[in-house]
Amino acid sequence: MDSLCLKGLEVCCVVFLKVDMLRKGTTTKMGDKDPFVFPDKMESQSKIYLSRKEKRQWTGILMCGTAILYAARTIMPVCIVEVADDMDWNKTQSGVVLSAFFWGYMMTQVLGGYVSDRVGGERVLLMASVVWSSITLCTPLLIQLSVYNSYSLYIVVLFRVLLGVSQGVHFPSVTSAVARKVPNEERSLSFSLIATGANCGTLLSGSAGSFLLERFGWQKPFYFIGICGLLWAMTAYRWLIPKQPLSSVPFGAKLLSPDQNSNTYTPSPVPWCKLFSKYSFWALLVANYCASNGSYILLSWLPTFFHDNFPEAKSWIFNVVPWLVILPCNISGGWLADRMIKSGMQVTAVRKLLATFLFCGMSTFLVLISFVDSYESTLFCMTMAVACCGFYSTSLSINPVDLAPHHSGAVFGVLNTTSAIPGFVGVYMAGYILETTKSWSAVFNQTAAISVFGYVVFLLFGTGRRIV
């Protein structure tokens, strides 16, 4: 019955389309392939990959979008000292505002990946970019209006949550798109280049944001980045959506084994039960939580740390230098991973090696910060700790594509949900510890200890093999 209905639907579509073609006066020549014949099989995997030229353009556009997204995310930490002075916030209240972003960020991770696996990651990215750009553009107005309201802190927190909600779909959508458009042996570099946009965005907010902050006040950086986001959305719509193939594999499809016909795809739900029964997946979740805890604390509190300890230092230096040094680490990590995989090295060994650079490097330099006194030495240790975070994208962040390549968007959504938890727990606790102990060493030492724990778990139980 189902096959009969599908055949009837096919005939109706062909009749209507050919009548419309005759009405317009267009016909097909003898020997031409009828464009209205439904294919018996879906396209093979190789036909949906981008060409080299398309991949460069596609990667560049997504990298720029990621940069502006991260600039919108990190401009509040850059401006938080001036905003807190205007609003009369203490360290705990500043921590609430900074961490509120992550409350919303974790809400849309799984949904963003699930939808991206089915309708296309690029489409989800563009819709979300309009929302978070608009929120960023309106943030100064919202803060200024809340001055006249007794619930001012709650209003700011609400819109920081909404900013997180709109940005939560970004990386699950990117992961889904990379899994669909880029071959396995080239994914590390492509993903790391796109993820490098995050560091470029932090660099943008640290440089241009600091300049606008010092010259024109804390409102102007928000206006600048919000407008950049809207301009990117318009540009990306022109280049990303038309590039999508008209006939491609259904999102969430499953590749059958060669003896079942390697060119055929059948819809497949995400095997959540099987996934959560694997030690390697839980190891990834734990390691990702610990790595994200360190990177979010550095991202959110680094400007405040230098303001408190070296008030005479130029803000554009400590807001720029660490994020400038992280760029070569991010790119070289992707290049190194692809080279090692192409040379025959096991994917598991590659991911664990890069995780060693990530966790051990970050923990070592965070501990060393407590033993140095000069501004130059402190800046060096902080810069190296941030630089080691550049190996995150090619060790942990790309791992969902290794474990579940046909469901990478949804799986990455689960992964990034766990990474958002330290965004509000860890960032808030850092503010609480500072308010109660006045000790930055306590913050950095506990962050290093958590990072070491995550490294041990991933080293023992992590894998780069496909599990579902």
Side-chain angles (χ1 to χ4, degrees), residues 17 53 57 168 181 184 238 266 285 299 330 345 435:
L17 289 170
K53 180 180 178 181
Q57 184 183 67
K181 300 292 183 66
N184 183 51
R238 167 67 180 82
T266 57
L285 295 183
L299 186 68
N330 207 329
M345 190 172 180
E435 190 67 26

Side-chain angles (χ1 to χ4, degrees), residues 27 45 47 60 71 111 124 164 204 260 276 353-354 438 451 467:
T27 57
Q45 181 91 357
K47 292 182 181 179
L111 178 63
V124 177
L204 175 64
Q260 292 173 294
F276 280 101
L353 175 63
L354 295 174
K438 312 297 181 184
S451 297
I467 59 175

Side-chain angles (χ1 to χ4, degrees), residues 250-277:
F251 287 83
K254 178 181 178 182
L255 178 63
L256 300 181
S257 59
D259 58 326
Q260 292 173 294
N261 191 344
S262 61
N263 289 331
T264 305
Y265 291 83
T266 57
S268 173
V270 183
W272 293 116
C273 292
K274 183 177 180 180
L275 192 67
F276 280 101
S277 67

Side-chain angles (χ1 to χ4, degrees), residues 308-330:
D308 286 354
N309 292 276
F310 306 98
E312 302 300 323
K314 297 292 185 181
S315 61
W316 68 267
I317 295 178
F318 56 76
N319 282 330
V320 169
V321 172
W323 310 107
L324 189 62
V325 176
I326 195 176
L327 295 178
C329 292
N330 207 329

Side-chain angles (χ1 to χ4, degrees), residues 228-395:
C228 287
L230 293 174
L231 290 176
W232 178 84
M234 291 188 290
T235 304
Y237 179 80
R238 167 67 180 82
W239 289 100
L240 288 183
I241 299 301
K243 297 294 182 182
Q244 300 239 32
L246 296 177
S247 58
S248 59
V249 182
F251 287 83
K254 178 181 178 182
L255 178 63
L256 300 181
S257 59
D259 58 326
Q260 292 173 294
N261 191 344
S262 61
N263 289 331
T264 305
Y265 291 83
T266 57
S268 173
V270 183
W272 293 116
C273 292
K274 183 177 180 180
L275 192 67
F276 280 101
S277 67
K278 302 293 184 179
Y279 289 121
S280 54
F281 181 66
W282 284 103
L284 174 60
L285 295 183
V286 172
N288 190 68
Y289 177 95
C290 297
S292 299
N293 180 73
S295 62
Y296 286 148
I297 286 177
L298 290 172
L299 186 68
S300 300
W301 287 106
L302 185 149
T304 306
F305 168 76
F306 279 101
H307 274 296
D308 286 354
N309 292 276
F310 306 98
E312 302 300 323
K314 297 292 185 181
S315 61
W316 68 267
I317 295 178
F318 56 76
N319 282 330
V320 169
V321 172
W323 310 107
L324 189 62
V325 176
I326 195 176
L327 295 178
C329 292
N330 207 329
I331 297 173
S332 62
W335 177 84
L336 181 63
D338 281 347
R339 287 286 299 229
M340 289 189 293
I341 292 172
K342 288 181 180 179
S343 67
M345 190 172 180
Q346 293 292 324
V347 177
T348 300
V350 172
R351 302 302 181 218
K352 290 183 178 180
L353 175 63
L354 295 174
T356 302
F357 298 154
L358 165 66
F359 286 111
C360 295
M362 181 171 60
S363 302
T364 299
F365 287 106
L366 284 177
V367 172
L368 286 176
I369 290 175
S370 303
F371 297 94
V372 297
D373 297 319
S374 68
Y375 170 69
E376 292 76 13
S377 300
T378 303
L379 180 63
F380 173 78
C381 290
M382 187 66 77
T383 298
M384 296 308 297
V386 171
C388 291
C389 295
F391 296 103
Y392 168 76
S393 61
T394 51
S395 58

